[in-house]
């Protein structure tokens, strides 16, 4: 089933968004077992994203096909050490403290870490990230950190069926992305859209989508087994 799901998804995702940018598909692999992830990679997935450091570590060596590895979940600073040099893109840079610590530890390890700044587009209390009001100021501070390379923005949108609201937040996120991209030639990713809303997000200018359920089916969480 996973192979079919990946093939169908990759056919459905347009090669380019309305801005003429290539759309990158990242498989969100939280709770998935290694064989399932390897099947998705064999079917054409090239980038995978984990939410939990423990899962990232446990599965790291057993994953085949050399995908690019992303981290897409809340990252505690005391766990940065497990990802250093192994994570190709930290999508969820959601607070200044994390950026500062990631830069410090990256410098000490002799690496530069690629990050996206996370926007909490719906201003939801349950989600991390910078507000639209904070994002430019956060960028200005994080840009000064020596061992980070900011490559764009990752947006968390609210879970809602209200397409009008989603569209307006997605367009607002694209506008913030464009404002920063105009100042910074390293900007190349706007990561926005999950299984339920990626089409809308790509129409609004996303060029990176993070898809779990559409590839792997509904998640089974360990405590619900
Ligand atoms: C789980 C997750 C996704 C994928 O969600 P689906 O609805 O299963 O596609 C995308 N982004 C983040 C940050 C996630 O945690």
């Amino acid at each position: 089933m996973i192979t079919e799901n990946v093939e169908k998804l990759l056919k459905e995702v347009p090669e380019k968004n309305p801005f003429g940018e290539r759309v990158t598909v990242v498989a969100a692999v939280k709770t998935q077992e290694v064989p399932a992830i390897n099947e998705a990679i064999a079917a054409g997935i090239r980038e995978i994203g984990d939410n939990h450091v423990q899962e990232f570590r446990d599965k790291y060596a057993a994953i085949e096909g050399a995908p690019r590895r992303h981290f897409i979940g809340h990252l505690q600073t005391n766990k940065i050490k497990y990802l250093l040099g192994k994570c190709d893109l930290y999508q969820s840079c959601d607070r200044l403290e994390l950026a500062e610590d990631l830069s410090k530890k990256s410098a000490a390890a002799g690496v530069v870490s690629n990050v996206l700044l996370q926007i909490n587009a719906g201003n939801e209390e349950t989600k991390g990230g910078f507000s639209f009001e904070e994002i430019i100021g956060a960028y200005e501070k994080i840009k000064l950190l020596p061992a980070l390379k900011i490559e764009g923005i990752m947006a968390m949108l609210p879970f809602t069926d209200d397409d009008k609201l989603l569209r307006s937040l997605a367009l607002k996120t694209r506008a913030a992305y464009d404002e920063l991209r105009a100042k910074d030639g390293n900007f190349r990713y706007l990561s926005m859209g999950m299984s339920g809303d990626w089409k809308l997000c790509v129409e609004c200018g996303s060029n990176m989508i993070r898809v779990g359920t559409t590839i792997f089916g509904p998640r089974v969480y360990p405590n619900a087994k």
Side-chain angles (χ1 to χ4, degrees):
M1 205 55 207
I2 292 170
T3 300
E4 289 87 339
N5 291 345
V6 169
E7 286 170 354
K8 183 160 174 279
L9 176 68
L10 294 181
K11 260 192 221 122
E12 251 183 291
V13 174
E15 191 154 333
K16 293 187 171 164
N17 70 10
F19 293 75
E21 300 156 347
R22 287 184 60 93
V23 179
T24 300
V25 176
V26 179
V29 299
K30 59 175 174 276
T31 76
Q32 305 305 332
E33 310 277 356
V34 168
I37 299 169
N38 284 341
E39 184 179 342
I41 294 167
I45 290 296
R46 297 279 166 266
E47 325 233 350
I48 63 172
D50 252 307
N51 287 69
H52 298 107
V53 172
Q54 190 66 45
E55 283 190 53
F56 185 104
R57 293 176 71 194
D58 288 349
K59 294 182 280 196
Y60 189 84
I63 288 174
E64 293 162 4
R68 289 188 82 220
R69 317 275 181 138
H70 303 230
F71 195 76
I72 61 175
H74 179 73
L75 180 54
Q76 293 167 255
T77 53
N78 63 350
K79 299 207 171 141
I80 289 172
K81 57 178 179 274
Y82 301 117
L83 301 182
L84 275 181
K86 293 187 170 160
C87 176
D88 298 295
L89 184 61
Y90 297 81
Q91 291 208 16
S92 42
C93 184
D94 57 3
R95 58 204 194 281
L96 191 56
E97 179 213 6
L98 172 62
E100 287 169 346
D101 211 47
L102 182 57
S103 178
K104 197 168 85 188
K105 288 171 179 158
S106 298
V111 298
V112 171
S113 293
N114 301 322
V115 303
L116 304 184
L117 306 183
Q118 182 174 325
I119 287 192
N120 182 358
N123 252 328
E124 296 170 279
E125 264 178 42
T126 52
K127 289 183 180 148
F130 302 102
S131 66
F132 287 113
E133 291 72 31
E134 291 166 336
I135 192 71
I136 304 285
Y139 165 82
E140 302 287 358
K141 290 198 185 101
I142 294 170
K143 185 65 191 168
L144 301 174
L145 299 172
L148 299 187
K149 181 177 174 209
I150 310 174
E151 295 200 307
I153 282 176
M154 186 267 245
M156 297 295 287
L157 296 178
F159 288 110
T160 169
D161 294 333
D162 184 345
D163 276 8
K164 217 174 132 202
L165 173 67
L166 276 180
R167 200 171 285 276
S168 82
L169 292 173
L171 289 171
K172 201 169 166 187
T173 307
R174 176 71 206 199
Y177 173 78
D178 281 336
E179 187 176 344
L180 289 169
R181 192 173 61 124
K183 316 182 192 230
D184 191 326
N186 288 334
F187 265 58
R188 54 198 191 116
Y189 295 127
L190 173 53
S191 173
M192 178 168 71
M194 320 201 325
S195 290
D197 61 8
W198 67 260
K199 282 180 199 161
L200 180 152
C201 288
V202 169
E203 280 169 27
C204 294
S206 167
N207 59 31
M208 179 174 273
I209 60 175
R210 311 177 305 269
V211 180
T213 308
T214 298
I215 295 174
F216 300 107
R219 277 181 288 279
V220 181
Y221 286 93
N223 55 2
K225 262 181 197 164

